[in-house]
Each structure stands twice: as C-alpha cells, then as structure tokens.
Amino acid sequence: MITPIILCGGSGTRLWPLSRKSYPKQFVQLIGDNTLFQASVRRMSGADFAAPVVLTNSDFRFIVTEQLMEIGQDPAAILIEPEGRNTAPAILAAALWLQKTDPEGLMLVSPSDHVIPDTAAFQAAIARGTAAARAGQLVTFGIAPTHAETGYGYLELAALPSDKVVELTRFIEKPDTARAEAMLAAGNYLWNAGIFLFSARTIVDAFRTHAPDLLPPVQAAIDGGRPDLGFFRLDPQAWSGAEDISIDYAVMEKADNLAVVPFAGGWSDLGGWDAIWRESIQDDRGVATSGPVTAIDCHDTLLRSEDRGLELVGLGLGNIIAIAMPDAVLVADASRAQDVKAAVTALKAKNAKQAITFPKDHRPWGWFESLAIGDRFQVKRIHVHPGAALSLQSHHHRSEHWIVVEGTAKVTIDDEIRLISENQSVYIPLGAVHRLENPGKVPMVLIEVQTGSYLGEDDIIRYEDIYARP
C-alpha cells in the first residue's frame, strides 16, 4: 500500500482575488466539480492506496476535515504545522510519522493544488515508479512540457524520456524564455511537478545524509506534539527550530539515488490565471467564462464572476483576464498573469483587507459572509452545518438580531433555551451569554443584524467551545 502525503498549508497569491491567505486555491472549486484538494485526494485513492496523511496549518484544519467529509474520505492523520517552514520539514515530519508504524512503507508526496485530469494515467505512472522506490530510489515525476514555460522548474534527464524510469541528471531552476525554448527543443527536459515517491526509511536516511540539522527539531516536534480533536499538533517550539527550506534544496539536489518517471498526461499547477484559461473550456475564439458572464466580440480572454448577483460583461476584449468577486475585481492583461502577486503586495501596503481576507469566513461550524456594513451596524449571512454549534459567548460592544431563513436554530440566551424555526427571529441583548446550534440534519441559515459601537470579530468572550478555540 502507498500512503498519500498531501501538502495543503500554502497560501498562493497569483490567483487573487479568488485565492487569498484566508482561503487559498487548493480549497476552491476552480476546475471541475471538486476543489483542487478534493481532486488530489480522489486521485490518490483506490486499492493500492492507504488513507492519506494531510499536512496543513491551524487555520485550515476544519476546512480540510469538511472537504474530506464531503467526498467520504477518512484521513489516516492530519498533522498541524505551527507555522509554514516549506516542504522539507513537512515531508520529513510525515516520514517520521509513517516510520513509527511502517518504516518500509511507500509514501507518495503531492501538493494539493495541481490539476491532473487523467487519474488512470497518473496512477499508472505511480505504478511504474513503485519498484524503483522499493529498491531505495528517490522517485520524482516529470511532466512532458507542452510549451516553453518560464514559471516552472525543470528536470534534466540522462536520456530521452520513455515509458520507463529514467536517471535524473540535475534540477534546473525556472529559466528565462530563451533557455526554456532550448530545453523544449532538446527533448530530454521535463517540468518538475514536485511529486515524489519513496519509502519512509529511504527519505529519512536521505535527510540524515544531506540535511542532518533538520532531523532533531522535526523529530522533537513529533515527539512533543499532542492530539487535538482528531488532529495532531506538532510542537511549536521545536518546529520553529527547523530551517525554512524546500525538499529540492535540502535533499533532492544533493542525492545520487534519484530517478524520474516521465508523465505525458495533462498536468498544471494552476500557477496563474493564464493557466486557468488554458485548462478551461473555451469557445472558438478562445474565450473562457464562468458564472454570470456575458462576452461580446472578445477573444483569448478569461471572464469569471464569483457572485451570482454580479453580472460581468466583456466588450471587445482581447488577451484579458477579468475576475469579479463580491469585494474585489481584477482586470489584467493576460501577459501579466504572473504579476498578480504584485497587486496583493500593493493592497497589503494600503492595509486593504481584500489582500488576505476572503469574503466568506470559514469556521469549524460553517461559514459567514458580510452582506452590508455601515456606521454601527453589520448584516451577515450565517451558514451552520447540521449538528454544529457556535461557542457559548458574549460581546462587550454589540447586540444581535437573528432571523432564521432556512432550517431550525437552537438558541441559548443566558438561562433560556428555545428553538427558532424559519421566518422566526430572536434578539440577543448586549452582554448576554448566548449560543447558536443547528440540531437538524440539513444546513441552517440565518441573517444576523449586529448593532453597536464596535463590530470586530475579536469582540468575543468564549465560555465553552466544542472546537477548543481560545
């Protein structure tokens, strides 16, 4: 059995405004019917695969469990990284975790934000690399390039790619256009997909040889970690002592037991809106649309509206990317797709919340979004999952009025508990100790009207919380 190791702690900026620090692209439904994370899990499931080990951070832990539950997948473990330290410490932590129970077990390490449409071809490629991995090789997977891409790293092969495992000559950093075109013409270069297959023992030994300083802090983070509501939290103090370094720099570029499995199936890391355009269904003029969109006399353009109530209209556009969100709109020349992160940097400099905060705020019990904000008031839509409950809490500066529009709410206000059905409402006075629960088997939705002198999310005193939040 192969244990998938799924890395999903990153927060990319090149797909802003849809991908943000608070809700990055791996959890978004960008291509197809599942999120990228869910598609990754499904791609690495079946008779040859064990339950996955997921590495993420504390902010995303309940999003991970919710999305796994939606596709009926139970994880073997969810390891919580106290802070991002790049891929080398994360992969080492997973290897040490797996080594405790199955030191010879194979682990398939994969990012959670890639698109690989042909699952059968991908699993066949994994099978081709299994023997080499069991023999002590560090197996990586290279993608047959379709164009001279400057946004990817490359793998130089010792021979032309075939349907067999090939020896790796070296890793190559992201090239300029001329170098990328030369490598494409040469034929013995593949894109570096950042997907690896090896045994737990082999990769731990590789770290011991090539990056020995990582072993003590990561091992201490495992040894000092603690279970928490079905998660396993790595020890923060020990973890902070691990170097922030990628697996390529720490191990792969130094090791001599490397092998490559060429993969000629479709693949994209969706590293920019230009990649989304390429992977989307286009009309005969190269126009790709999503959501309530109208395109008139456009060509080679991506138009995407993420708000059902916001109609995006493109008129006479060429080589344009236009992405509309409820709180932000991006309009860019397609040739500048890799520069979107500069927009995020500019927004951060002016303290714009749109730089990092997603319109929907996901919580362990569901999510909420602000519908209107004014002087001393705010209106929210709150979605509570079946069986979920908010914390028992109070507020210093605001009162709340709840109107149930779907399902039934169980409401606690001080010593009183009552059920509130659709089209009914309840008032929460300032300072009252209260809780909101969904006792039903369908989602519960309500409209919350807040009034008061301060409406920030930090105006919460928690008395009880089933999710053990501070």
Side-chain angles (χ1 to χ4, degrees):
M1 299 284 280
I2 299 173
T3 299
I5 308 297
I6 302 178
L7 310 177
C8 63
S11 54
T13 58
R14 288 180 293 176
L15 291 182
W16 184 90
L18 187 54
S19 174
R20 308 187 196 182
K21 183 178 180 181
S22 68
Y23 200 71
K25 68 175 182 176
Q26 60 264 32
F27 301 120
V28 178
Q29 187 177 321
L30 282 165
I31 303 289
D33 297 328
N34 294 124
T35 68
L36 299 180
F37 169 66
Q38 290 172 324
S40 298
V41 173
R42 284 188 155 168
R43 189 162 53 244
M44 293 178 281
S45 62
D48 296 329
F49 297 92
V53 174
V54 180
L55 285 100
T56 189
N57 63 46
S58 186
D59 291 341
F60 303 151
R61 66 194 190 281
F62 292 110
I63 300 175
V64 165
T65 54
E66 178 183 335
Q67 294 203 352
L68 287 173
M69 185 170 57
E70 287 176 357
I71 60 173
Q73 176 68 63
D74 291 325
I78 299 176
L79 306 184
I80 306 299
E81 299 176 75
E83 58 181 308
R85 308 301 290 168
N86 215 316
T87 54
I91 292 170
L92 178 55
L96 292 171
W97 178 271
L98 183 61
Q99 193 178 46
K100 291 189 297 184
T101 56
D102 189 10
E104 302 302 332
L106 295 186
M107 45 192 287
L108 176 62
V109 178
S110 174
S112 59
D113 55 359
H114 292 183
V115 166
I116 303 176
D118 192 339
T119 295
F122 176 74
Q123 292 190 354
I126 301 303
R128 289 199 299 274
T130 299
R134 293 197 186 283
Q137 295 286 95
L138 301 173
V139 179
T140 186
F141 294 82
I143 310 300
T146 57
H147 58 280
E149 175 62 55
T150 60
Y152 301 152
Y154 284 70
L155 307 172
E156 183 181 354
L157 307 185
L160 290 176
S162 65
D163 59 355
K164 297 181 174 60
V165 178
V166 183
E167 183 181 345
L168 175 65
T169 299
R170 59 173 174 155
F171 289 81
I172 296 176
E173 294 299 312
K174 296 176 182 179
D176 58 24
T177 300
R179 182 83 188 281
E181 290 174 347
M183 289 191 292
L184 180 65
N188 64 319
Y189 294 85
L190 302 176
W191 290 336
N192 182 5
I195 301 172
F196 305 98
L197 179 67
F198 33 63
S199 72
R201 185 186 301 279
T202 297
I203 190 62
V204 171
D205 286 346
F207 273 100
R208 188 172 288 115
T209 300
H210 303 294
D213 290 346
L214 278 176
L215 273 164
V218 176
Q219 183 68 68
I222 292 283
D223 294 341
R226 60 181 177 85
D228 178 14
L229 295 176
F231 309 103
F232 185 83
R233 290 183 176 274
L234 301 172
D235 180 73
Q237 184 174 355
W239 188 253
S240 67
E243 183 182 0
D244 186 331
I245 188 171
S246 73
I247 187 70
D248 286 354
Y249 285 134
V251 172
M252 297 300 170
E253 293 185 1
K254 303 172 184 176
D256 58 5
N257 57 334
L258 294 168
V260 180
V261 175
F263 179 67
W267 172 88
S268 174
D269 75 342
L270 297 183
W273 284 113
D274 53 341
I276 299 292
W277 173 77
R278 284 194 296 269
E279 295 295 322
S280 300
I281 297 173
Q282 302 168 13
D283 67 14
D284 57 2
R285 301 198 67 194
V287 177
T289 62
S290 176
V293 165
T294 300
I296 302 171
D297 194 25
C298 297
H299 67 89
D300 302 315
T301 286
L302 175 64
L303 300 175
R304 186 170 181 133
S305 174
E306 298 296 327
D307 188 331
R308 289 178 299 175
L310 194 159
E311 182 74 21
L312 176 62
V313 179
L315 177 60
L317 300 178
N319 302 300
I320 291 295
I321 293 165
I323 313 297
M325 296 284 291
D327 64 337
V329 176
L330 170 71
V331 181
D333 188 284
S335 66
R336 301 293 300 276
Q338 294 299 312
D339 297 329
V340 169
K341 57 186 178 182
V344 178
T345 300
L347 290 173
K348 287 180 179 178
K350 59 188 291 188
N351 294 319
K353 66 178 183 178
Q354 290 90 340
I356 60 174
T357 303
F358 200 71
K360 281 186 180 179
D361 196 323
H362 289 260
R363 298 298 171 92
W365 43 260
W367 53 265
F368 69 84
E369 61 181 336
S370 293
L371 304 178
I373 302 176
D375 186 22
R376 298 179 64 90
F377 81 89
Q378 181 171 205
V379 181
K380 291 181 178 179
R381 176 178 16 238
I382 298 178
H383 176 112
V384 184
H385 299 317
L390 282 68
S391 61
L392 184 68
Q393 60 185 250
S394 65
H395 309 295
H396 281 307
H397 302 288
R398 70 174 185 256
S399 59
E400 297 170 342
H401 194 164
W402 294 341
I403 305 98
V404 176
V405 296
E406 183 179 337
T408 299
K410 181 180 178 182
V411 177
T412 299
I413 305 176
D414 292 327
D415 296 327
E416 181 184 3
I417 299 176
R418 67 177 90 167
L419 292 177
I420 307 298
S421 301
E422 291 183 17
N423 299 319
Q424 294 182 328
S425 63
V426 63
Y427 175 67
I428 315 296
L430 186 151
V433 177
H434 59 282
R435 191 203 309 268
L436 176 65
E437 302 174 63
N438 180 0
K441 296 184 178 181
V442 297
M444 186 269 291
V445 180
L446 61 80
I447 301 300
E448 176 182 84
V449 180
Q450 302 177 352
T451 58
S453 59
Y454 178 72
L455 306 174
E457 288 302 312
D458 54 348
D459 180 24
I460 294 179
I461 302 172
R462 287 195 177 96
Y463 303 96
E464 296 176 8
D465 184 31
I466 63 174
Y467 307 107
R469 292 170 295 173

